[in-house]
Amino acid sequence: MTRRDMLLAATVASLWGFNFVVIDWGMHGIPPLFFVAVRFAVVALAVVVVPRPLASWKTVVGVGLFMSLGQFALLYTSIALGLQPGIAALLLQAQVVLTIVVAALALRERPSRLQVAGVLLGTVGLGIVALGRGGDAPALAVVLCLLAALSWAIGNVISRRAGPVAPSRRFGALSLTVWSSLVVPLPALGLSALIEGPDAIAAGIAAFGWRPILSTLYTAGLCTLIGYAVFNGLLARNRSASVVPWVLLAPVVAMASAALLLGQVPNVWETAGGAVLVAGVFIANPPVRRRRAAGAAGAADVAPERRPVQRDDSTDAPPPPPLRNRSDRATIGR
C-alpha cells in the first residue's frame, strides 16, 4: 500500500470507531429505535444513485432484517441503557467468532483449527469483559450488544449464502448495504411505537435538534456511504490482506475517543478482555498470504490478488478478507 492508501485506511477505520461515540452523543433525548429508523431512512436515499445488487429480494430483506435492523436496534438500545461506546465497539467484534459458529451450523462449513482457536479465545475475552464490566454497564446492555453481534453474524451468513451479488466492482458491498437499508425504517418505526410508545416518538421529534442531526449525517453519510466508497477503492487498488487489518483500529479509536471526550475509561478487566477478544478475532481471520509463482517472485509482490466482487458487509464495518476455503468465511467487524 502507498502512504496515501495507508492514511485513507486509517481514516476510514477511525471514522468507524468514532461512530460509536457519535451515536451516544447524538442519542440523548431520542428513543434508540426511532433513531435507527431515521438513520437508515437517510441511507436509503442513496438507492437513487447506487444500482441494485444482483441478489434476490429474499436475500436483500434477510440482510436488512439481521445485518441492519437487528444489529443496530439492539446496539442502539444497549448504548441507551448505559453501555459505554468503547465497550460496545469491542463486544460487537464478537460477530466474527459468531459468524464462524453460525456458518458451521447453517452452511455445514467446517471451521479450521485456527478458527476454532480464535472462537475459543474470543469467547474467553467476552467472558472477561462480561464478568469484569464496570458498574455503569448493566448486564442487560451487555446481553443486547452480544445479541446485536449475533444478528450481524446471521446477516453475514445470509450474504455468504447468496454469493457474489455486486452489480460492479465500483460499488462492491455498498450496493447490498444501501438497498437492504430500505427494509429498516418502517419496521424500526413500528417497533419504536410498540416498545417506546407514541409519546416517546413525539418527544424525540421535538428534541431532534442539531446534535442528532449531525450524528445522523455522520453515521449515515460519512460512515456508511463515504466510508464504504473509500474502502471499496482501497480494496480495488490493494490486496485485502493489506487493507482489512486496519479495521482493528476501530475499537481502539472507539475506546480512546470515549475516554477523551466522554470520560468513560474502561477498567482493567474490560481492557484485558477486549485485548483477548481482538486477538481471537485476528486469529480467526489471519491475513491470506499469496504464494509466489516460480520465476515470478518480483511480480507476485505487486500483482493484485483475485477476490470476490461481493463481500459480507454491514453499515459500520468493512467486508472480510478473501478466504482460503469455505470454512474460513467470517467478517472482521465494525
Side-chain angles (χ1 to χ4, degrees):
M1 295 179 66
T2 64
R3 290 183 179 180
R4 175 179 177 273
D5 281 353
M6 286 191 288
L7 179 60
L8 287 174
T11 300
V12 171
S14 298
L15 287 175
W16 283 329
F18 192 57
N19 173 62
F20 292 87
V21 174
V22 173
I23 291 171
D24 185 43
W25 174 77
M27 197 163 47
H28 290 291
I30 311 297
L33 296 178
F34 175 70
F35 207 27
V36 171
V38 173
R39 170 181 176 166
F40 281 93
V42 174
V43 174
L45 295 176
V47 297
V48 299
V49 293
V50 176
R52 178 186 167 186
L54 305 178
S56 66
W57 280 109
K58 180 180 179 180
T59 297
V60 173
V61 171
V63 170
L65 288 178
F66 287 99
M67 197 179 289
S68 297
L69 176 61
Q71 177 192 171
F72 288 99
L74 291 164
L75 173 65
Y76 276 47
T77 302
S78 70
I79 294 177
L81 289 176
L83 188 63
Q84 296 180 5
I87 302 302
L90 277 175
L91 292 177
L92 208 59
Q93 298 302 310
Q95 62 87 17
V96 175
V97 296
L98 290 172
T99 297
I100 296 173
V101 174
V102 174
L105 296 174
L107 303 181
R108 307 298 184 193
E109 294 185 348
R110 184 178 179 180
S112 66
R113 292 181 180 179
L114 274 180
Q115 287 182 322
V116 172
V119 168
L120 293 176
L121 190 60
T123 302
V124 171
L126 289 174
I128 295 174
V129 172
L131 295 176
R133 71 185 190 280
D136 293 334
L140 178 59
V142 172
V143 171
L144 289 179
C145 192
L146 290 177
L147 289 176
L150 176 60
S151 183
W152 185 359
I154 295 173
N156 287 338
V157 173
I158 293 174
S159 178
R160 164 73 177 92
R161 176 176 288 174
V165 297
S168 67
R169 290 178 61 89
R170 175 185 176 186
F171 292 98
L174 181 62
S175 60
L176 185 57
T177 298
V178 168
W179 280 81
S180 64
S181 68
L182 291 170
V183 179
V184 180
L186 289 181
L189 189 60
L191 288 173
S192 178
L194 181 65
I195 298 174
E196 298 162 342
D199 292 340
I201 294 177
I205 294 175
F208 213 91
W210 64 274
R211 282 177 59 166
I213 290 175
L214 287 180
S215 176
T216 300
L217 292 176
Y218 181 94
T219 56
L222 280 178
C223 288
T224 301
L225 300 177
I226 295 178
Y228 262 107
V230 173
F231 201 80
N232 284 333
L234 291 172
L235 288 173
R237 295 191 299 271
N238 303 279
R239 296 183 300 173
S240 293
S242 299
V243 177
V244 173
W246 286 91
V247 178
L248 292 178
L249 283 175
V252 176
V253 171
M255 296 183 74
S257 55
L260 290 175
L261 301 178
L262 304 178
Q264 298 175 344
V265 181
N267 61 36
V268 175
W269 290 105
E270 290 170 337
T271 303
V276 173
L277 172 60
V278 171
V281 169
F282 189 79
I283 291 174
N285 275 289
V288 177
R289 297 182 181 276
R290 298 178 66 234
R291 295 182 177 179
R292 294 185 180 185
D301 287 335
V302 298
E305 64 181 353
R306 295 182 62 188
R307 60 176 68 90
V309 175
Q310 176 64 29
R311 309 165 182 90
D312 296 340
D313 60 292
S314 76
T315 54
D316 287 325
L323 301 168
R324 291 169 290 189
N325 53 60
R326 285 178 58 85
S327 65
D328 288 338
R329 178 65 61 173
T331 55
I332 285 290
R334 213 58 93 136

